[in-house]
Structure formats: structure tokens, C-alpha cells
Amino acid sequence: KVLGGRKLRRIGELKGAMMARNKLTCRSCRRLLSPFRDGELPPAKALQVEDHVKKCRGCTGEWLHLQSV
């Protein structure tokens, strides 16, 4: 069955809301950097941290600092 335009828009809105809810704030990400480094995070949370660090200059700096300690 082919979905109508209205249904497709709604599905897109739901996917966007779910992705936004799964994004980490810098504060949350920084708290998780040590457990991330030590391999203590569940895979889904580790991916969130990794994605955030790749996109956030400030958290990248924190990650690099943590790596050097």
C-alpha cells in the first residue's frame, strides 16, 4: 500500500522528534566521556557520545584532553 503525503510527513515528524530526543547535550556528553573511554557504556549510548564528539568542537577538545591524561 502506498502512503499518502500526509502520512509521510507525519512519519518524518516522528523520526525527527525521536532523533532530537536521542541527541546529547554537551553537559551530558562530557559526563559520559570517561565511561565511554573505558568501554563501560551500552552500545547505543556509546554511539550517541561518538556522534556528539564528532560534531561538537568543545566536546572534541574535552575528549582529546581526556585521552592525553
Side-chain angles (χ1 to χ4, degrees):
K1 186 175 179 179
V2 177
L3 295 174
R6 188 186 296 179
K7 273 195 176 182
L8 287 175
R9 262 194 313 278
R10 182 70 182 136
I11 290 170
E13 290 169 5
L14 290 172
K15 283 183 180 177
M18 287 171 59
M19 288 182 71
R21 186 175 53 203
N22 289 333
K23 288 188 179 178
L24 291 178
T25 63
C26 290
R27 185 179 198 170
S28 296
C29 183
R30 289 176 183 181
R31 281 192 223 145
L32 295 170
L33 288 176
S34 289
F36 175 73
R37 178 195 60 196
D38 298 337
E40 298 171 350
L41 296 179
K45 187 60 76 176
L47 283 174
Q48 286 180 315
V49 171
E50 186 177 341
D51 287 344
H52 183 91
V53 169
K54 286 179 182 176
K55 297 173 185 172
C56 177
R57 198 175 223 173
C59 290
T60 297
E62 288 289 324
W63 173 245
L64 292 174
H65 174 73
L66 184 62
Q67 292 290 86
S68 70
V69 176

